């Protein structure tokens, strides 16, 4: 027996020692991973930008790469990209930029920001080369400004015009015997169309044609300026289907040559004065960021706060990525408002909207901030419905020409699932209540006519409040706001003409405006929300919901948007929404 205990305790002690050293080693790895990586740039560098890389408003940390050192730890945010390109203009170690333009994962306004930054870089006299095997239209839009644009000889270039397609679920709901009880204000408020129609209404077709036409006009105008081809000719290329193969793109001067990747590399080497087996010193954006300090006004006491608001607007205090939760953002705005060193706030909005109540809460806190310091809004791909609600009070609003904004309208959807449960699943419900309307909102029965009036009255009241916020913030008459509201979506160009935004411009323009309004010439930036530490992100990445969402997205592919529509419908649960009509995918 004594021998048994000796062996047992010896084994246990060894096991504990192994665990202890394992934890010690793991913590060392984590400390090493999360500590700043020292990167030194070599001369004769070429900065690499990939149009297929999605750029969120803020830096994205890859928790697995950060901890295990497998690939880049971070993907720069959009404003990081702009600052890095600007820094490269005067960096002697960077001789040019290589654009890998095969696909494009970004929205139109995001591409506009990047393209404008590249145009400024080009004016420095440094080169930009663009290459893609098969360029889609958004990739070509960015690439078209390059000194040389090349495509694979057997690849191609898409140049066919824009289209957007909506998915209508009315027939599916009818088959399932689900009745979407719908309430809305604004004849253009087409958010509920996929649930109540089988095709676009006349009003929706009018607004879609208008903003899609503006986006396309901006696309043709800027490509035409870069390629020295008039827009009428470019429109004809698309309308007549003249660009079918790579050779067509060369024939009609959309590209400068048909080359394989190795031939493009040889040309870049020649431009750099390299020969033989010498390799081009390509520098990724993430590596360049690690080696570069792009902090604005380092050491200055005056600060300008940038608050990034990206995603759906919801109630609560969530810090989930791409979610604008009212309680969380009220705290962030209040912190910037009460910080005496913060002289102005730039509120960067990239949101299709969401909860009307949450939008009101954020609007309120921004209004309080505006009483003590300038508040300037910079709009991204979307700043519509609730996204416009939280923007309209600003001292000045900037949008890109291809930003989608407006959509001043509200709606609510409360599904009646009685037929689905009874006839499809054989489930029925019964119960008791102490007051006539105690179960108002219960999805297991249809609403009564009186209950429908209650909900419509709430929708009408919130719509009236929304319009009142716009009247107050934009200094427009009630009659004008009513005429340009109605749930209608506008492009940035249209919004400026109507007075919904003040200027066409990007993040940098908004920051300069904020500094001017605050009367500060030297400042540094403070960005909210603060980036999570890599290890915290690593732990969160193992959450069940995060892994499930990733798996669903990978499995559904292009049909993920339909899944999102159904999911968002479920999440609304009768709450009144100020949200864009639908998932807008423009190709």
């Amino acid at each position: 027996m004594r021998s048994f205990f000796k062996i047992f305790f010896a084994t246990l002690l060894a096991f504990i020692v192994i665990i202890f050293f394992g934890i010690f080693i793991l913590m060392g790895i984590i400390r090493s991973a999360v500590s700043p990586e020292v990167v030194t740039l070599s001369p004769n560098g070429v900065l690499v930008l990939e149009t297929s890389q999605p750029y969120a408003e803020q830096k994205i940390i890859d928790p697995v790469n950060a901890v295990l050192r497998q690939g880049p730890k971070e993907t720069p945010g959009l404003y990081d990209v702009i600052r890095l390109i600007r820094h490269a203009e005067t960096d002697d170690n960077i001789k040019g930029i290589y654009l890998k333009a095969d696909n494009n994962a970004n929205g139109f306004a995001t591409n506009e920001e990047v393209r404008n930054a590249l145009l400024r870089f080009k004016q420095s006299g440094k080169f930009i080369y663009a290459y893609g095997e098969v360029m889609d239209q958004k990739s070509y839009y960015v690439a078209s400004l390059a000194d040389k644009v090349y495509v694979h000889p057997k690849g191609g270039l898409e140049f066919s015009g824009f289209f957007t397609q909506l998915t209508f679920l009315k027939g599916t709901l009818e088959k399932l015997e689900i009745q979407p009880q719908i309430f809305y204000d604004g004849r253009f408020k087409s958010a509920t169309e996929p649930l109540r129609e089988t095709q676009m209404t006349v009003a929706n077709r009018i607004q879609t044609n208008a903003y899609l036409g503006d986006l396309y006009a901006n696309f043709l105008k800027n490509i035409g300026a870069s390629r020295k081809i008039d827009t009428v000719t470019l429109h004809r290329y698309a309308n007549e289907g003249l660009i079918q193969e790579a050779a067509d793109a060369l024939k009609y001067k959309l590209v400068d040559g048909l080359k394989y990747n190795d031939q493009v590399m040889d040309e870049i080497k020649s431009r750099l004065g390299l020969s033989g087996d010498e390799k081009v010193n390509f520098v990724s954006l993430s590596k360049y960021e690690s080696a570069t300090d792009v902090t604005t006004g380092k050491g200055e006491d005056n600060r300008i706060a940038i608050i990034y608001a990206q995603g759906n607007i919801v109630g609560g205090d969530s810090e989930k990525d791409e979610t604008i939760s009212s309680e969380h953002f009220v705290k962030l705005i209040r912190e910037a408002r009460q910080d005496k060193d913060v002289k102005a706030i730039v509120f960067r909005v990239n949101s299709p909207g969401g909860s009307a109540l949450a939008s009101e809460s954020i609007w309120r806190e921004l209004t309080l901030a505006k009483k003590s310091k300038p508040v300037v809004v910079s709009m991204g791909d979307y700043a519509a419905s609730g996204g416009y609600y939280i923007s309209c009070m600003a001292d000045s609003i900037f949008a890109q020409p291809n930003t989608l904004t407006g959509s001043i309208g509200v709606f609510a959807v409360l599904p009646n699932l009685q037929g689905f449960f009874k006839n499809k699943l054989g489930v029925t419900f019964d119960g008791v209540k102490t007051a006539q309307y105690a179960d108002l909102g219960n999805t297991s029965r249809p609403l009564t006519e009186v209950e429908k009036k209650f909900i419509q009255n709430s929708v009408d009241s919130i719509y009236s409040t929304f319009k009142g916020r716009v009247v107050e913030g934009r200094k427009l008459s009630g009659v004008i706001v009513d005429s340009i509201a109605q749930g209608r979506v506008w492009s940035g160009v249209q919004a400026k003409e109507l007075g919904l935004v003040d200027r066409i411009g990007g993040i940098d323009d908004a920051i300069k405006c904020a500094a001017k309004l605050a009367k500060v010439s030297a400042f540094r930036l403070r960005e909210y929300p603060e980036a999570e530490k890599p290890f915290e992100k690593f732990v969160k990445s193992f959450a069940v919901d995060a892994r499930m969402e990733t798996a669903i997205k990978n499995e559904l592919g292009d049909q993920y948007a339909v899944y999102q529509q159904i999911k968002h419908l479920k999440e609304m649960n009768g709450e009144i929404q100020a949200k864009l009509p639908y998932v807008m995918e423009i190709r």
Side-chain angles (χ1 to χ4, degrees), residues 382-447:
Y382 302 98
S385 209
Y388 189 74
Y389 199 130
I390 62 177
S391 302
C392 65
M393 46 55 60
D395 291 293
S396 191
I397 301 176
F398 287 79
Q400 292 291 4
N402 39 24
T403 294
L404 294 183
T405 187
S407 191
I408 303 165
V410 295
F411 70 93
V413 180
L414 186 68
N416 167 26
L417 301 174
Q418 186 180 69
F420 171 73
F421 281 122
K422 181 179 179 180
N423 301 326
K424 302 298 182 184
L425 302 180
V427 177
T428 57
F429 301 87
D430 200 1
V432 295
K433 53 187 178 181
T434 60
Q436 186 173 356
Y437 304 112
D439 64 339
L440 175 61
N442 191 336
T443 60
S444 66
R445 66 169 181 83
L447 293 165

Side-chain angles (χ1 to χ4, degrees), residues 370 470-477:
K370 183 183 173 183
V470 178
V471 168
E472 179 185 351
R474 302 308 301 155
K475 305 295 187 292
L476 298 170
S477 72

Side-chain angles (χ1 to χ4, degrees), residues 41 68 162 164 220 272 290 370 394 405 423 435 440 513-514 578:
L41 288 180
L68 302 181
F162 292 178
T164 183
L220 295 178
L272 295 170
S290 299
K370 183 183 173 183
T405 187
N423 301 326
L440 175 61
C513 175

Side-chain angles (χ1 to χ4, degrees), residues 98 166 252 284 359 404 504 572 575:
Y98 173 51
L166 312 185
Y252 292 106
S284 68
S359 299
L404 294 183
I504 299 298
M572 289 174 197
E575 184 181 4

Side-chain angles (χ1 to χ4, degrees), residues 561-581:
V562 179
Y563 161 77
Q564 280 185 306
Q565 277 185 273
I566 298 170
K567 182 182 177 184
H568 290 159
L569 174 63
K570 177 178 177 292
E571 290 171 346
M572 289 174 197
N573 197 30
E575 184 181 4
I576 296 174
Q577 300 285 311
K579 196 168 185 180
L580 260 185

